[in-house]
Amino acid sequence: MNLNTVHFLEDYENRLSPLAVKTAQSKGRKIKEDAAEHRTMFQRDRDRILHCAAFRRMEYKTQVFVNHEGDHYRTRLTHSLEVAQIGRTVGRALKLNEDLIEALVLAHDLGHTPFGHAGEDMMAKLMLEHGGFEHNSQSLRIVDVLEHRYPTFRGLNLCFEVREGIVKHSANWQKEKIPTELLPEEYPSLEAQLIDYVDEIAYNNHDIDDGLASNMIDIDDLRSVDLWQMAEKRAQQKYPNVSWPNNKYVCISSMMSILVSDLIEQTQTMIQKSGVQCYQDIRVHSEALAGFSSEIYEKNQKLKIFLRDKLYSHYRVVRMEEKAKRIISDLFNSFIQRPGQIPSDFINQHPEPKNTARVICDYIAGMTDRFATREHVKLFNPQAKV
């Protein structure tokens, strides 16, 4: 790395809050590498995630609607991009490390199975006696061993703070599920603590958008939700002459702004009350420091209940979920009965080729919706070519 680049990056990071994680504070990588030219460690990690195969596959993985239901519904990939935008906004306002936030956001859903949470629930059930399955742990597994792009190591060789944030970004992460090397007794960076909240802001709002577009959510029902009432009032004040449905996007944008502003302000308040002075203080503090105010938290919970009752429990979504569970279950059980149905290239390149259940789990979890559907047709439709 040339001297001018070093000075520029140091100057950039020196402008961040003392609570932000800076390159010099990183615990580094498992395998030592020379510094990248023109990029910090976290920028390099973000780029490695962005270019990995698992990231591209999210384009055809379900958020709520299975891919073939429509071209304009969110997928895991577009969801991650929307979360990244919100994460950068919050990170910039708090003077945190945006590059670390972006790396964590882009990696946070890598481990999801096809068909969204229905697929994950079924995979967890199928793997109950084989070591279990959980998508955050699977995301770490992907970046640690399953991606194989470099000649001298498996995985992406990401730095400690990104790997830690991948398994600790959830607001309710459990110590017993965290690998010892990632310090289960300590809180992660403030950047990692924000991920769960910006994730919620993104999916609550875009699920409303997709729900309205699909006619699964009725606007009159939505107007009973406190947050929507607040957002619509703001939208009407800003654009008094715009009528429904043209103000849908303005209302959604207003609701996002309400949540983002509250997250920033409440996190600042919690930081001030905590007395933390630096990044290391955050790691050993008695509680997490990111979150919503009690008022907005309650309103957001009511919004989530509304989405559960009106969208996620809609008969069309339930049908998609049940179909997804059958596909995942059929594939898993078929492969368990005869693992030789899995392509030999995948087995030979797998880090644990003799662990049959884990090989099958990794193979299925890495599928896109459409690939899993095609595999199911090949295995169970006698007329289909294999």
Side-chain angles (χ1 to χ4, degrees):
M1 188 180 295
N2 66 56
L3 193 59
N4 288 336
T5 300
V6 170
H7 287 163
F8 171 79
L9 294 175
E10 287 178 348
D11 180 61
Y12 157 73
E13 290 198 335
N14 285 336
R15 288 178 288 169
L16 300 178
S17 164
L19 305 180
V21 186
K22 301 178 178 67
T23 299
Q25 297 170 305
S26 174
K27 296 182 186 295
R29 308 179 187 281
K30 277 188 171 183
I31 301 171
K32 188 175 178 57
E33 297 182 61
D34 293 334
E37 192 169 11
H38 310 303
R39 293 178 296 172
T40 67
M41 292 180 69
F42 301 132
Q43 289 171 338
R44 192 182 201 180
D45 283 3
R46 173 204 61 201
D47 297 345
R48 287 184 172 182
I49 293 163
L50 184 67
H51 290 285
C52 77
F55 182 80
R56 293 193 298 277
R57 287 197 297 269
M58 289 198 295
E59 180 177 4
Y60 297 103
K61 287 193 173 188
T62 296
Q63 183 61 30
V64 172
F65 296 91
V66 177
N67 182 261
H68 63 253
E69 290 289 325
D71 292 340
H72 295 281
Y73 297 129
R74 269 67 171 194
T75 65
R76 285 285 165 198
L77 181 63
T78 59
H79 162 71
S80 295
L81 296 177
E82 292 185 30
V83 181
Q85 175 265 312
I86 299 169
R88 289 193 303 268
T89 297
V90 176
R92 188 176 302 119
L94 295 171
K95 294 185 178 180
L96 298 176
N97 197 315
E98 292 179 51
D99 298 321
L100 174 55
I101 289 174
E102 191 170 23
L104 290 172
V105 168
L106 297 182
H108 88 285
D109 271 355
L110 291 178
H112 267 292
T113 65
F115 309 119
H117 289 288
E120 178 179 7
D121 291 344
M122 178 52 69
M123 185 60 75
K125 180 179 179 181
L126 293 166
M127 287 294 292
L128 199 58
E129 297 180 1
H130 306 286
F133 179 87
E134 191 270 331
H135 81 268
N136 290 329
S137 298
Q138 187 71 8
S139 295
L140 181 65
R141 182 171 173 78
I142 287 169
V143 302
D144 274 0
V145 296
L146 294 182
E147 285 286 336
H148 193 35
R149 303 174 60 83
Y150 302 96
T152 55
F153 54 80
R154 289 197 71 98
L156 304 181
N157 196 32
L158 304 182
C159 62
F160 171 92
E161 292 73 22
V162 176
R163 297 176 60 243
E164 178 193 40
I166 287 173
V167 290
K168 289 184 184 177
H169 76 265
S170 176
N172 58 353
W173 60 273
Q174 298 172 307
K175 294 178 182 180
E176 59 271 17
K177 294 184 178 181
I178 306 300
T180 304
E181 63 176 303
L182 296 179
L183 308 179
E185 298 301 321
E186 295 185 5
Y187 278 98
S189 65
L190 191 52
E191 287 89 346
Q193 292 181 32
L194 287 168
I195 303 304
D196 212 33
Y197 297 98
V198 295
D199 185 28
E200 267 198 33
I201 293 171
Y203 68 65
N204 280 346
N205 285 277
H206 66 50
D207 286 357
I208 287 175
D209 190 8
D210 286 350
L212 290 169
S214 66
N215 295 316
M216 293 188 197
I217 293 178
D218 182 86
I219 183 58
D220 291 330
D221 291 337
L222 186 56
R223 282 175 171 146
S224 67
V225 178
D226 290 347
L227 270 175
W228 185 264
Q229 290 175 12
M230 292 173 64
E232 192 163 33
K233 184 176 180 180
R234 281 195 183 191
Q236 288 170 348
Q237 290 173 344
K238 190 172 184 179
Y239 301 102
N241 297 321
V242 176
S243 61
W244 184 265
N246 296 322
N247 69 354
K248 174 180 72 170
Y249 303 112
V250 181
C251 289
I252 292 171
S253 177
S254 295
M255 192 156 62
M256 291 176 68
S257 295
I258 291 168
L259 292 166
V260 166
S261 296
D262 185 81
L263 177 60
I264 293 168
E265 292 166 10
Q266 180 62 19
T267 300
Q268 287 173 327
T269 298
M270 293 170 73
I271 289 169
Q272 291 168 359
K273 288 182 177 179
S274 71
V276 297
Q277 298 294 317
C278 65
Y279 161 57
Q280 291 302 330
D281 289 347
I282 290 172
R283 298 193 62 85
V284 296
H285 192 60
S286 58
E287 60 182 352
L289 296 173
F292 296 120
S293 67
S294 57
E295 177 189 358
I296 293 299
Y297 173 82
E298 291 299 326
K299 285 179 167 54
N300 193 52
Q301 288 299 110
K302 290 178 181 178
L303 172 61
K304 293 171 73 171
I305 292 170
F306 172 85
L307 287 169
R308 182 197 66 196
D309 294 343
K310 299 296 183 179
L311 179 61
Y312 309 142
S313 298
H314 193 281
Y315 81 90
R316 286 169 58 192
V317 174
V318 172
R319 284 182 178 185
M320 285 187 274
E321 289 179 345
E322 290 306 309
K323 188 189 298 184
K325 290 177 182 179
R326 285 194 296 273
I327 291 173
I328 297 289
S329 179
D330 288 348
L331 290 176
F332 187 92
N333 290 325
S334 182
F335 291 144
I336 279 286
Q337 290 172 13
R338 192 163 184 185
Q341 296 177 95
I342 297 176
S344 56
D345 285 351
F346 184 87
I347 298 174
N348 294 337
Q349 293 175 10
H350 196 273
E352 305 170 68
K354 294 183 179 180
N355 187 343
T356 303
R358 187 57 61 183
V359 170
I360 293 169
C361 175
D362 289 338
Y363 183 57
I364 297 174
M367 294 179 180
T368 62
D369 295 0
R370 63 181 185 178
F371 185 80
T373 302
R374 289 172 184 170
E375 285 287 270
H376 191 268
V377 169
K378 289 178 181 178
L379 292 176
F380 293 96
N381 184 343
Q383 303 298 321
K385 292 183 179 180
V386 297

